[in-house]
Amino acid sequence: MAKALLIDVTRCTGCRGCQVACKQWNELPGEKTSVSTSWTNPKELSAYTWTHVDFREVPNRAGHPTWNFVHKRCFHCLEPACVSACPVGALQKTEEGPVTYDAARCMGCRYCMVACPFSIPKFTWDSAQPVIAKCTFCADRLADGQEPACAKTCLTNAIQFGERDELIAEAQGRIQATPGRYVNYIYGKDEAGGTSVMYLAGVPFDRLGFKTDISLEPYPERTWEALSKIPWEVLGVAAVMSGTWWIIQRREKNGANSISKKAKR
């Protein structure tokens, strides 16, 4: 059975322990930031911040202001557009739930960034060998029988890890038990054909910065239709990058073979 996460925004206290745990487990560097008007720090997801807590002040049904702390990261779609867009298979959807990334295969075309309906994948532009960067769903921890670092560290159980079907039943149960606490919707249950990261909230999702114009149909069928509209100049750059990537890979392979032969002499 595929694993998933259920994130209950009404339970989050904004401690950002999940954000820290993600950086710690994945050995991501700190970033220079500044105080923003939204009190969110850093301001958004980046190539070095794969899990981000966004602060949102939204009036409740009575008109009183409420603080909402929204955990954002890759949704790990059931049928990912990024996977279907990748021409070299650097991105893969696993049976366990995570969408994984193999930097050794990536040629830097960034089609995945264009294809993602949630605009999640980032690029390490400041690196001499840039790669795609996003949440991994702690695939290495799952393979070792552990839960993701963000869920493990959450003190209020706002992030719950488990089987996707069971989490949907859990979410529906919370809505039915306390309808005044939640909007009657599970974000991610159906968006983009369903995702492995789902949300409950006490205010409408569009007020929390979620995209509400996401198709409920899987995106892979639309991927190449959308990519076909990219200007030929951009495709030309991608082709050049592909050729460069092939040459570099061949040189590295030849270099490795040469070293191996010398070592045997």
Side-chain angles (χ1 to χ4, degrees):
M1 295 289 287
K3 300 294 185 180
L5 291 173
L6 174 62
I7 300 176
D8 190 334
V9 177
T10 70
R11 293 187 177 187
C12 182
T13 60
C15 74
R16 294 190 294 187
C18 54
Q19 197 169 299
V20 174
C22 177
K23 275 189 174 284
Q24 185 178 38
W25 180 258
N26 294 291
E27 300 181 336
L28 299 173
E31 298 177 271
K32 186 177 182 179
T33 62
S34 59
V35 176
S36 69
T37 55
S38 67
W39 300 99
T40 299
N41 186 9
K43 292 182 179 179
E44 56 191 2
L45 288 173
S46 73
Y48 304 109
T49 298
W50 299 349
T51 293
H52 179 250
V53 178
D54 189 15
F55 294 178
R56 296 270 175 162
E57 183 178 342
V58 181
N60 60 17
R61 297 173 186 176
H64 302 303
T66 63
W67 276 99
N68 298 269
F69 308 102
V70 187
H71 178 137
K72 293 185 175 177
R73 36 87 67 73
C74 175
F75 283 82
H76 297 275
C77 301
L78 301 184
E79 297 185 49
C82 59
V83 171
S84 65
C86 182
V88 294
L91 289 153
Q92 297 289 334
K93 176 70 175 179
T94 66
E95 293 183 358
E96 293 76 19
V99 174
T100 60
Y101 169 70
D102 185 348
R105 288 191 173 190
C106 181
M107 64 180 188
C109 70
R110 305 189 304 283
Y111 278 4
C112 55
M113 296 175 68
V114 177
C116 178
F118 299 103
S119 303
I120 295 296
K122 308 302 179 189
F123 200 57
T124 56
W125 294 99
D126 59 334
S127 172
Q129 295 181 315
V131 295
I132 292 296
K134 71 171 194 67
C135 162
T136 66
F137 204 152
C138 286
D140 51 347
R141 290 176 62 91
L142 266 61
D144 196 37
Q146 302 182 68
E147 59 184 319
C150 58
K152 178 69 175 179
T153 197
C154 185
L155 297 175
T156 61
N157 202 27
I159 305 174
Q160 188 172 348
F161 173 70
E163 303 288 349
R164 187 173 188 273
D165 291 344
E166 295 178 0
L167 291 178
I168 291 174
E170 170 69 20
Q172 292 171 335
R174 291 183 195 177
I175 293 173
Q176 292 175 1
T178 51
R181 184 183 178 95
Y182 300 103
V183 294
N184 186 17
Y185 195 80
I186 306 170
Y187 190 93
K189 174 177 173 289
D190 299 312
E191 275 71 18
T195 67
S196 297
V197 179
M198 301 172 290
Y199 291 84
L200 286 176
V203 297
F205 284 96
D206 62 331
R207 304 298 303 275
L208 299 178
F210 286 85
K211 291 186 175 181
T212 54
D213 58 349
I214 300 292
S215 170
L216 301 185
E217 299 296 325
Y219 272 73
E221 294 181 0
R222 302 180 173 203
T223 300
W224 287 104
E225 178 184 351
L227 291 176
S228 67
K229 297 178 182 178
I230 296 176
W232 284 105
E233 292 83 355
V234 176
L235 294 176
V237 171
V240 170
M241 293 178 66
S242 300
T244 303
W245 172 84
W246 183 83
I247 292 171
I248 292 173
Q249 294 293 314
R250 185 175 182 181
R251 284 179 177 175
E252 290 181 348
K253 184 177 181 179
N254 290 340
N257 290 338
S258 177
I259 292 173
S260 177
K261 290 178 180 178
K262 289 180 179 178
K264 292 179 179 177
R265 291 174 182 172

